[in-house]
Amino acid sequence: MKTDIILAGVGGQGILSIATVIGQAALEEGLYIKQAEVHGMSQRGGDVQSNLRLSDRPIASDLISLGQADIIIAMEPMEALRYKEFLNPDGWIITSSNPFVNIPNYPDVDAVISELKEMKNIILIDTEKIGSENKMSKSVNMILLGAASKALSSISFEKLCASVKTIFGAKGEAVVEMNIRALEIGRDCE
C-alpha cells in the first residue's frame, strides 16, 4: 500500500498544517512517511507545495514523480492545475473553488474551474462559503482535508481527528473542537 499526495496552495492558507495532520495520522496508523516541502515566497503570497508519501513499506525518495500522485489537495484552483501532470490516471484532485488572485495575470477563473471539472476524479468545494456559514473561516484548510478524507483510504477519519487533537492541542480545546468540526463538515460535503 502506498499513497502519494501533493499538497498545494499559497502562503498562509494552511497547506503545511494539512500535511502535518496527515503525517501525524499516518504515523498513528503505523505507516512510513516521507515529506518534502517547497515554501517559495510563502510569507508574501507565493506558492507552497508539499510532497507527502505514505506507505506500509520503507520509502526511498521523498519526491513524487510525474504521473504518480494519487491525490492532489489544493487550497485554490490554479494550484491544483499547476500539479495535474503529477496525477496518475486514477488519481483524485480535491480543491477549493476559491481563487487566490495574487498575480496580475491570474487566468480566467471560470476557465480554470472548467478545466478542473474535466478531470476524472474531482472534489471541488467552496471552502470560503462553507467556512463563513459555519463561523470557521480560519479552519477552511481542515474543511478541505475533511473533503479529501474520502480519497485517503490509507488513513481512517478517526486518526485524522486524533491527529488534529495532537497538532492543535496546545492552542486549546475550542481550537481543537473547531478544527474537528471543520473536518466533519468537509467530509460531509457533496
Side-chain angles (χ1 to χ4, degrees):
M1 181 292 310
K2 74 146 186 80
T3 305
D4 288 338
I5 305 165
I6 292 178
L7 299 112
V10 175
Q13 290 186 305
I15 282 298
L16 299 182
S17 293
I18 293 173
T20 302
V21 170
I22 293 172
Q24 178 66 35
L27 290 174
E28 291 294 323
E29 291 280 9
L31 300 173
Y32 291 92
I33 178 173
K34 287 265 187 175
Q35 181 178 1
E37 299 171 356
V38 177
H39 296 270
M41 298 286 287
S42 60
Q43 292 183 343
R44 297 192 180 164
D47 69 319
V48 175
Q49 183 260 349
S50 180
N51 283 284
L52 189 57
R53 304 189 74 206
L54 316 174
S55 180
D56 58 357
R57 298 174 188 210
I59 304 165
S61 173
D62 53 2
L63 297 178
I64 300 170
S65 301
L66 292 175
Q68 297 302 306
D70 300 297
I71 304 169
I72 294 173
I73 301 172
M75 284 299 300
E76 81 95 49
M78 188 178 75
E79 291 298 322
L81 283 181
R82 180 190 309 254
Y83 295 100
K84 80 174 190 171
E85 65 188 31
F86 285 87
L87 195 64
N88 74 44
D90 294 319
W92 280 86
I93 292 180
I94 298 93
T95 185
S96 174
S97 60
N98 309 105
F100 188 92
V101 181
N102 60 340
I103 54 174
N105 59 342
Y106 193 98
D108 178 68
V109 175
D110 291 334
V112 170
I113 299 294
S114 179
E115 188 171 344
L116 283 169
K117 287 181 177 179
E118 292 175 10
M119 302 300 295
K120 179 178 178 182
N121 298 311
I122 179 93
I123 297 174
L124 185 70
I125 63 171
D126 188 337
T127 56
E128 297 296 326
K129 179 180 176 189
I130 295 167
S132 178
E133 288 174 350
N134 290 280
K135 296 180 176 58
M136 55 179 56
S137 59
K138 291 185 177 183
S139 297
V140 294
N141 60 335
M142 291 299 112
I143 292 170
L144 190 66
L145 177 55
S149 69
K150 299 170 189 175
L152 282 169
S153 59
S154 57
I155 299 174
S156 72
F157 189 77
E158 292 73 26
K159 293 285 192 226
L160 287 174
C161 291
S163 180
V164 164
K165 288 179 184 177
T166 300
I167 302 303
F168 295 107
K171 294 185 178 191
E173 191 60 32
V175 172
V176 169
E177 288 177 16
M178 181 175 59
N179 282 290
I180 289 175
R181 182 71 185 121
L183 281 174
E184 293 168 345
I185 289 168
R187 179 190 59 189
D188 295 339
C189 287
E190 292 296 324

